[in-house]
Amino acid sequence: MRARVVAREVLDDLAQDDPHAIQSRRDLQRVHWAMGTRAILLRGLQGMSELPQTGKRMRILELGAGDGSLMLGVARALAPTWAPVDLTLLDTQSLITQETVANYSDVGWTATACVRDAFDWAAGPGGANRHGSPTTHWDLIVANLFLHHFEGAELAGLLRAIADRSDRFLACEPHRAWLSLLGSHLIGALGSNAVTREDAVISVHAGFSGGELSALWPDVGDKWAVTEYAAGLFSHCFRAELIQAD
Ligand SMILES: C[S@@+](CC[C@H](N)C(=O)[O-])C[C@H]1O[C@@H](n2cnc3c(N)ncnc32)[C@H](O)[C@@H]1O
């Protein structure tokens, strides 16, 4: 397929309480089912080396977390074998309900909503010193269907901020490939509304392929081990793990 085309998605311009936006966010849960996103994330996370299995609590940040429901499925699967987790769910919109927080609590994870723009987060304190304040360092950062919103210096700067303040990173994004494009045109079969149908196609054109994210990640091979791979039928994953502490 041709080079990435990043365009603003319809959902990004709808008010949080717009009925079409609410329906589109519900659609996303069915889209994840069709894409096998939860299993893809689980495989990506379980393939990471040296994640603390027991003992000290892990600090995890999800960027562009939406309503937190995807990560909740991941938490339910991982909680029995992982160390307890303090999870921060960052999104520009306030979509995390008390019920969702309670559901995380049921599996032993604390979930905290952070309503903030990821670029404000990236520009904030903590980027320069990985071993600085504990409030600015993460054992793991996760992004799902989020990075494809961005390109150029903006995307590179965001990845730099993630690398500066975490030990591990996993992203799962649309795979920019013909099969994904076909799938995005057929998404109406899941009962998706017009917003979801349009955004699905936009997302595939803005998706990733090959080693596009690795090329933007800083210090590959020196400080970081990275892998980038197609996953399932429609997804493209990038995983980075710190191999050398400062
Ligand atoms: C396609 S949704 C994915 C939600 C969730 N990660 C999932 O996979 O179900 C993208 C999310 O990114 C959020 N988002 C977009 N731009 C953002 C930004 N600059 N900072 C933080 N969140 C942002 C949107 O509000 C939206 O909830």
Side-chain angles (χ1 to χ4, degrees), residues 12 112 158 176:
D12 293 335
T112 307
L158 188 58
R176 200 175 75 259

Side-chain angles (χ1 to χ4, degrees), residues 8-9 11-12 25 28-29 32 37 41 62-71 90-95 114-121 142-150 154 158 172-173 199 203:
R8 206 159 165 79
E9 296 182 18
L11 185 58
D12 293 335
R25 290 187 185 281
L28 193 54
Q29 298 188 10
H32 284 319
T37 312
L41 285 176
E62 183 179 3
L63 295 172
D67 64 8
S69 58
L70 177 67
M71 204 57 188
L90 182 148
D91 202 287
T92 44
Q93 301 208 355
S94 176
L95 301 165
C114 175
V115 180
R116 192 172 183 194
D117 191 294
F119 291 94
D120 291 342
W121 170 83
V142 178
N144 191 74
L145 296 186
F146 175 64
L147 296 181
H148 72 276
H149 287 84
F150 314 110
E154 205 175 38
L158 188 58
C172 181
E173 297 293 325
D199 284 351
S203 297

Side-chain angles (χ1 to χ4, degrees), residues 4 11 18 65 99 109 131 143 154-156 167 169 182 227 231:
R4 296 186 68 212
L11 185 58
D18 184 308
E99 187 186 350
W109 288 28
H131 301 294
E154 205 175 38
L155 177 59
D167 290 344
F169 176 56
L182 178 66
T227 45

